[in-house]
Amino acid sequence: MSTFAKAGFKSANYNSFRPHYPPSFYKILTEYIGKEAGKTGDKVGKTIDLGCGTGVATYPLLQFSQNVVGLDLSPPMIETANSLKAAKLKELGIQDESRIEFGVCAVEDFDAPPNSYDLITAAECIHWFKDYPKFFEAAAKHLKPNGVLAYWFYVDPVVVNFEGPHNEKLLAIETMRRAQQIYLLYVYEDPKGLGVHWDRPGRDILRNLLREVDAQIPQDLFKDVKTQKYVPSVDGLLQLTPQDLRLVREKITLKDFTNYISTYSLFHNYSESTGAGAEFLEKMIQEFETELGWDREKTLLDLNWTSGYTFMRKSGE
Ligand SMILES: C[S@@+](CC[C@H](N)C(=O)[O-])C[C@H]1O[C@@H](n2cnc3c(N)ncnc32)[C@H](O)[C@@H]1O
């Protein structure tokens, strides 16, 4: 998947507007691994984070892994990941910079000696990988016995609550249903919208909650498979459980909601091929404002993402 690798891709925007994975998720992961995040001395040795992007998922791994390597095929992503290093390590209270490094490398080209890693992660990227049987085989080769492979995802935010200016004639539930329709129209359905610019089959695999990927886990190479998926409802009634990957943004402006959409790879593709990215976002904001009476700066939205994860352990001694 090459959009993220293009020189014009705004990787700093990506880092600001994409959701970041919450501590509760790393707790679920460390419990599965059998380690405790943040506890001195209770760490795995070596982790590799594939498709690491700007390091959103990579830096938090330092809380329970002594050494972490982030790899991504996109040079601009790796540049941003490296540029954030000093600030991120300070935030985590880590002085030893050598505990984390980033490199440009496609997953398909990655190789290392057998039994090298305790943990392999792939956050919000496995839907772009090209050959799942080969990927699982390589992961099993590179993991130590009982080492863990973990991948996770999120897709399509849903507005589950709002406050501030809105069309008083509409019930809140109608407003949120209509908001979801506008999102789907602009992002997928309108032939003049973003939909035709999606890189396929990646987006379809993602929208299908990675079912195609899960179905290809080789039972002879991995054991203890744990899968969890969450699909929010527009009315906000389907509550997240403590075992879910909780991806939530609260009280963000309508403007920032569309800024998030501007980080989609297809938005970059659309802007590149039509030269009209900014106009597209403006039209979408205006539709929310006209239809729902929202204000781009003053209406605040709560978003929940469809999300999920799959963990497994390498079989063997
Ligand atoms: C949506 S971003 C996710 C980044 C980060 N893991 C996160 O959770 O925010 C997907 C990333 O996967 C990378 N990617 C896609 N296909 C890849 C491949 N075959 N090998 C390595 N990286 C890949 C892209 O360059 C991009 O940075």
Side-chain angles (χ1 to χ4, degrees):
M1 197 285 146
S2 54
T3 304
F4 293 115
K6 290 178 182 165
F9 185 77
K10 295 196 172 80
S11 51
N13 269 5
Y14 180 98
N15 194 61
S16 306
F17 295 117
R18 287 282 178 133
H20 288 212
Y21 311 110
S24 61
F25 173 68
Y26 288 100
K27 189 160 181 285
I28 300 169
L29 176 57
T30 49
E31 274 171 11
Y32 178 86
I33 296 170
K35 300 284 174 190
E36 207 175 307
K39 190 170 160 194
T40 317
D42 199 18
K43 291 187 173 62
V44 299
K46 284 168 77 177
T47 296
I48 190 136
D49 183 35
L50 301 169
C52 66
T54 62
V56 169
T58 328
Y59 283 106
L61 296 169
L62 285 167
Q63 296 169 104
F64 55 93
S65 181
Q66 187 54 34
N67 290 98
V68 178
V69 176
L71 295 179
D72 198 288
L73 58 67
S74 159
M77 287 290 202
I78 293 299
E79 215 174 286
T80 302
N82 274 320
S83 74
L84 295 169
K85 203 185 231 183
K88 289 281 179 192
L89 291 184
K90 194 169 172 211
E91 229 171 76
L92 291 163
I94 295 173
Q95 266 123 40
D96 180 359
E97 282 201 10
S98 70
R99 284 184 54 202
I100 188 160
E101 58 182 289
F102 293 96
V104 176
C105 181
V107 167
E108 293 74 15
D109 297 335
F110 174 69
D111 201 11
N115 303 327
S116 297
Y117 293 96
D118 300 274
L119 173 65
I120 297 179
T121 54
E124 186 66 356
C125 56
I126 204 166
H127 52 289
W128 300 123
F129 297 176
K130 294 197 177 75
D131 184 331
Y132 295 114
K134 267 198 192 151
F135 166 74
F136 283 117
E137 207 177 294
K141 174 187 145 187
H142 294 136
L143 281 171
K144 295 177 186 169
N146 285 313
V148 169
L149 169 63
Y151 54 85
W152 60 94
F153 74 94
Y154 59 88
V155 65
D156 293 334
V158 171
V159 178
V160 295
N161 207 356
F162 64 90
E163 63 182 50
H166 63 279
N167 180 346
E168 308 266 348
K169 290 191 190 120
L170 290 176
L171 292 174
I173 186 78
E174 287 168 342
T175 303
M176 290 185 288
R177 279 200 194 116
R178 186 71 194 112
Q180 182 69 359
Q181 284 163 357
I182 295 172
Y183 171 85
L184 292 174
L185 178 71
Y186 275 74
V187 173
Y188 293 109
E189 292 157 5
D190 181 356
K192 292 201 209 92
L194 301 186
V196 292
H197 296 274
W198 282 116
D199 286 299
R200 295 215 140 83
R203 189 66 184 191
D204 296 329
I205 295 173
L206 185 62
R207 287 188 83 195
N208 209 18
L209 317 184
L210 303 185
R211 283 187 181 88
E212 286 93 331
V213 183
D214 293 338
Q216 296 184 61
I217 298 168
Q219 303 298 317
D220 55 332
L221 299 180
F222 292 99
K223 61 184 178 183
D224 303 341
V225 177
K226 176 181 167 88
T227 306
Q228 181 87 11
K229 321 241 177 198
Y230 168 72
V231 181
S233 59
V234 176
D235 51 27
L237 288 179
L238 272 185
Q239 296 293 317
L240 283 152
T241 73
Q243 280 301 304
D244 287 313
L245 165 50
R246 188 174 194 279
L247 281 187
V248 168
R249 294 278 303 266
E250 281 165 351
K251 301 196 193 314
I252 69 159
T253 61
L254 172 59
K255 185 87 184 15
D256 275 352
F257 179 40
T258 55
N259 279 333
Y260 162 73
I261 292 167
S262 80
T263 68
Y264 288 1
S265 61
L266 93 161
F267 178 75
H268 185 87
N269 297 345
Y270 176 89
S271 300
E272 220 178 35
S273 73
T274 65
E279 290 83 343
F280 172 86
L281 289 182
E282 178 56 29
K283 195 165 159 239
M284 190 177 183
I285 291 182
Q286 281 180 15
E287 180 122 9
F288 281 117
E289 290 185 324
T290 318
E291 285 272 320
L292 309 177
W294 285 355
D295 177 284
R296 64 189 66 196
E297 300 290 352
K298 295 191 193 120
T299 305
L300 301 178
L301 312 176
D302 290 351
L303 306 177
N304 276 14
W305 273 263
T306 292
S307 63
Y309 58 85
T310 302
F311 302 158
M312 68 202 78
R313 233 179 282 283
K314 177 178 167 176
S315 302
E317 328 76 85

